[in-house]
Amino acid sequence: MATDELMRKALEALGDDGPPSVEAIQRLTDLGGVHEPMMINEVADLLDISPHTLRYYERAGLVEVARDGNGHRLYDADAVRRLVFLTRMRLAGMPMRDLQHYITLVEAGKHTVPERLDMLIEHRDTIRRRIRELALSLTAVEYKIATYGGWTGPDVQDLDTAVPREP
Amino acid sequence: MATDELMRKALEALGDDGPPSVEAIQRLTDLGGVHEPMMINEVADLLDISPHTLRYYERAGLVEVARDGNGHRLYDADAVRRLVFLTRMRLAGMPMRDLQHYITLVEAGKHTVPERLDMLIEHRDTIRRRIRELALSLTAVEYKIATYGGWTGPDVQDLDTAVPREP
DNA sequence: GTTTGCGTTCGAGCGCGCTCGAAGGCCTAG
DNA sequence: CTAGGCCTTCGAGCGCGCTCGAACGCAAAC
């Protein structure tokens, strides 16, 4: 798969305007019902990551995967759902370390829910900060693009930092 | 400096709501008038990067820096402005390679403006995509946090992928 | 039977962006 | 005179997240 199927669906579902809705995200977490266990390549295609990376995640303790009679990996629905979650968190910039810790908590049982919530809240705040940073950079770049288009100053190099005469 | 001074100013200037305005970004590009050349530690503090990194950027050809009688670096206003630009682009995720190429273009003269514009436009689109990805991840995380708070399902682990009964 | 194709394990290697340490110079304070 | 502090250059090292190659196994296709 050339592009990230989940993300493509996600962006389609969200449309091009307005903030993402909870309804939209719900659709994203629905994998479409009951699944046969999947082979590594199917999962890799679904998540748009390499089989190598999937094995790496397993080695890292992020997910347990059963084997068939030939020793080939069989990803059941739980494993796939967890990997959807994990890849989404990775995409959002959560480090492997944190994911490993989070999974440790999940496997330790319900009593770790508060700590998991703490992690999620911190991650949420990290994402928000990152979005704000990017929004700022975006505005800077857009301004720069606009300036390049209409500028007639003395030295082109100044454009890299110049303050415009008019907004 | 513990936090990124420029980013802090930026976030203050932009406020907590609404999209960043061109007016706001203008203020950010104003370094406050004429500058004495700065020593490496001053620049490092201003940009919230290490002196090591500044030397590294110079080695990488991103900026030329004069020396004083003792061989110490003297960053003039142009160098500082360029570094502000560069660190902002780095923060927005532009790879070193691309920045090196961009700077090569800047130093090649005005006739490279169209190619520079192409780079900026591509970078702008990259930032936009990244913001959309993050917005999606953010919604997913926020939904998950909300679900953790009010959920009474059979298995806590299901929360990692569950679809809620109600939005 | 052999080739093709997809899987396995293991450990090593890579690309990026820093980050650091060693060895030394210059200036100033005590 | 010496010690401290900040600077210099140079090359090496690191942390992260993959990414790959080697050597092998099984099973269906020809």
Side-chain angles (χ1 to χ4, degrees):
Chain A
M1 186 176 297
T3 60
D4 182 344
E5 176 70 8
L6 291 169
M7 185 55 63
R8 191 187 58 71
K9 281 193 210 153
L11 295 180
E12 277 179 8
L14 297 175
D16 275 345
D17 42 66
S21 66
V22 170
E23 291 73 16
I25 202 68
Q26 278 178 246
R27 273 176 257 133
L28 304 178
T29 58
D30 180 7
L31 289 174
V34 178
H35 295 269
E36 299 296 302
M38 298 170 75
M39 301 294 283
I40 196 167
N41 263 344
E42 300 177 271
V43 181
D45 283 354
L46 177 70
L47 301 175
D48 198 27
I49 60 183
S50 75
H52 276 306
T53 301
L54 279 170
R55 294 188 198 104
Y56 167 71
Y57 285 176
E58 187 178 347
R59 252 190 295 173
L62 294 182
V63 63
E64 286 175 13
V65 186
R67 305 298 147 108
D68 68 8
N70 291 324
H72 293 192
R73 285 169 175 80
L74 284 182
Y75 292 84
D76 63 17
D78 279 354
V80 172
R81 276 196 297 267
R82 178 177 286 185
L83 284 166
V84 169
F85 169 71
L86 291 170
T87 51
R88 189 169 287 146
M89 291 305 101
R90 286 290 305 119
L91 199 61
M94 183 177 274
M96 291 293 289
R97 258 191 302 285
D98 292 0
L99 286 173
Q100 287 169 329
H101 183 50
Y102 187 89
I103 291 300
T104 302
L105 293 176
V106 168
E107 291 177 346
K110 288 187 210 178
H111 65 284
T112 64
V113 165
E115 192 177 346
R116 285 184 241 169
L117 262 173
D118 287 346
M119 288 191 73
L120 290 176
I121 288 168
E122 192 173 322
H123 184 50
R124 178 197 63 189
D125 294 344
T126 300
I127 297 173
R128 286 180 176 167
R129 276 192 301 276
R130 187 70 187 127
I131 288 175
R132 295 193 57 99
E133 284 176 359
L134 286 177
L136 177 67
S137 296
L138 178 59
T139 304
V141 172
E142 284 173 338
Y143 165 64
K144 202 173 176 61
I145 289 170
T147 304
Y148 261 120
W151 187 264
T152 53
D155 182 355
V156 171
Q157 181 158 335
D158 287 347
L159 293 174
D160 282 333
T161 54
V163 172
R165 304 180 200 282
E166 309 250 348
Chain B
M1 187 176 295
T3 59
D4 181 346
E5 176 71 9
L6 290 170
M7 184 56 62
R8 191 187 58 71
K9 279 193 213 153
L11 295 179
E12 277 179 10
L14 297 175
D16 275 346
D17 42 65
S21 67
V22 170
E23 290 74 16
I25 203 68
Q26 278 178 245
R27 274 176 256 131
L28 304 177
T29 57
D30 180 7
L31 290 175
V34 177
H35 295 268
E36 299 295 302
M38 297 170 76
M39 301 294 282
I40 194 167
N41 264 344
E42 300 176 273
V43 180
D45 283 352
L46 177 69
L47 301 176
D48 198 29
I49 61 182
S50 75
H52 275 307
T53 301
L54 279 169
R55 293 187 200 105
Y56 166 70
Y57 286 175
E58 187 177 346
R59 251 191 296 173
L62 293 182
V63 63
E64 285 174 13
V65 186
R67 304 299 146 108
D68 68 9
N70 291 323
H72 293 192
R73 285 169 176 79
L74 283 182
Y75 292 84
D76 62 20
D78 279 354
V80 172
R81 276 196 298 265
R82 178 176 285 184
L83 284 166
V84 169
F85 169 71
L86 291 170
T87 51
R88 188 169 288 145
M89 293 304 101
R90 287 289 307 119
L91 199 61
M94 184 177 273
M96 291 292 289
R97 259 190 301 284
D98 291 1
L99 286 173
Q100 287 169 327
H101 185 213
Y102 187 90
I103 291 301
T104 302
L105 293 176
V106 169
E107 291 176 347
K110 287 188 212 180
H111 66 284
T112 65
V113 165
E115 191 177 347
R116 284 185 242 170
L117 262 173
D118 287 346
M119 289 191 72
L120 291 176
I121 288 168
E122 192 172 324
H123 184 50
R124 179 197 63 188
D125 294 344
T126 300
I127 297 173
R128 286 179 176 169
R129 276 193 299 275
R130 186 72 187 126
I131 288 175
R132 295 192 57 97
E133 284 177 359
L134 287 176
L136 176 67
S137 296
L138 177 60
T139 303
V141 172
E142 284 173 339
Y143 165 64
K144 201 172 177 60
I145 289 170
T147 304
Y148 260 120
W151 186 264
T152 53
D155 183 356
V156 171
Q157 181 160 335
D158 287 348
L159 292 174
D160 282 332
T161 53
V163 172
R165 304 179 199 282
E166 309 250 350

